[in-house]
Amino acid sequence: MEFQRTDTAVVFIDPQNDVLSENGTSWAVVGASVTENGTVENMERIFKAAKERGYDVFISPHYFYPTDSDWMFNGPLEADEIRTGTFARSGPLDLTGFRDSGADWLDRFKPYIEDGRTIVASPHKVFGPQTNDLVLQLRKRGIDRIVLGGMLANMCVESHLREFLEQGFEVAVVRDATAGPRHPEWGDGYEAAIVNYRYLAHAVLSTKEVLDRMLH
């Protein structure tokens, strides 16, 4: 899979405090995987290279608003996220309390995301991009190939991967720019995701391999 700035973009899922900060609601289950993979550092390396080389960068964030607590059914992870206030915001048009909250971007990513050039999609409400405008935003900019990373490997990242493939995109997943949960009953989400990536994605690359391709 070749990268060209004219039709290739970086897409990061949920680069937010609740899944990437030691103070986030999910750190107890994702922290070990984030640390071992160097996920934050590798995401930043890709942010930096993409900006320097003129690649478009897209963000697909996860937000819950107070009205979402009225949903009548949820999966186990959704229920836990709503219970713990993960990705919680005060409303779609209200940024009260947003700055430095769990739903906010990790501080070290803010210079890249808030540079006026990064495309932030509307929030995906469950796991995949079917509920937001990310695919529209990609299509409107002539993107055919995606470099994919972010959180969580086995949930939102894999769901985005599957939808992108159904939509006809070529996708390279960056295996060390993502991470997953380790749960005593549900198992190791990162390892499960890597197995599926190898079957599904056009390429499963390291950050170094991505950077090498961007620089040539």
Side-chain angles (χ1 to χ4, degrees), residues 64-84:
F64 287 116
Y65 305 136
T67 50
D68 295 330
S69 64
D70 295 330
W71 291 355
M72 297 182 69
F73 58 91
N74 293 294
L77 182 58
E78 293 172 274
D80 192 61
E81 287 174 335
I82 289 175
R83 178 185 63 81
T84 59

Side-chain angles (χ1 to χ4, degrees), residues 37-54:
N37 287 344
T39 305
V40 171
E41 295 79 7
N42 288 325
M43 288 177 68
E44 185 171 21
R45 291 167 68 198
I46 294 170
F47 267 127
K48 186 173 186 292
K51 295 298 182 177
E52 289 176 349
R53 293 287 166 167

Side-chain angles (χ1 to χ4, degrees), residues 81-148:
E81 287 174 335
I82 289 175
R83 178 185 63 81
T84 59
T86 300
F87 302 131
R89 277 183 48 185
S90 53
L93 302 178
D94 187 350
L95 289 175
T96 302
F98 175 73
R99 200 71 176 173
D100 299 322
S101 71
D104 197 5
W105 320 125
L106 203 67
D107 272 343
R108 64 196 293 171
F109 296 160
K110 288 180 180 179
Y112 307 104
I113 299 175
E114 298 176 356
D115 67 349
R117 294 188 292 126
T118 296
I119 300 96
V120 179
S122 56
H124 62 96
K125 300 304 290 185
V126 186
F127 305 119
Q130 297 91 334
T131 55
N132 71 4
D133 67 343
L134 179 58
V135 170
L136 172 67
Q137 296 287 355
L138 290 162
R139 295 291 190 203
K140 286 286 192 178
R141 288 166 175 81
I143 300 301
D144 296 316
R145 299 182 178 96
I146 293 168
V147 177
L148 180 64

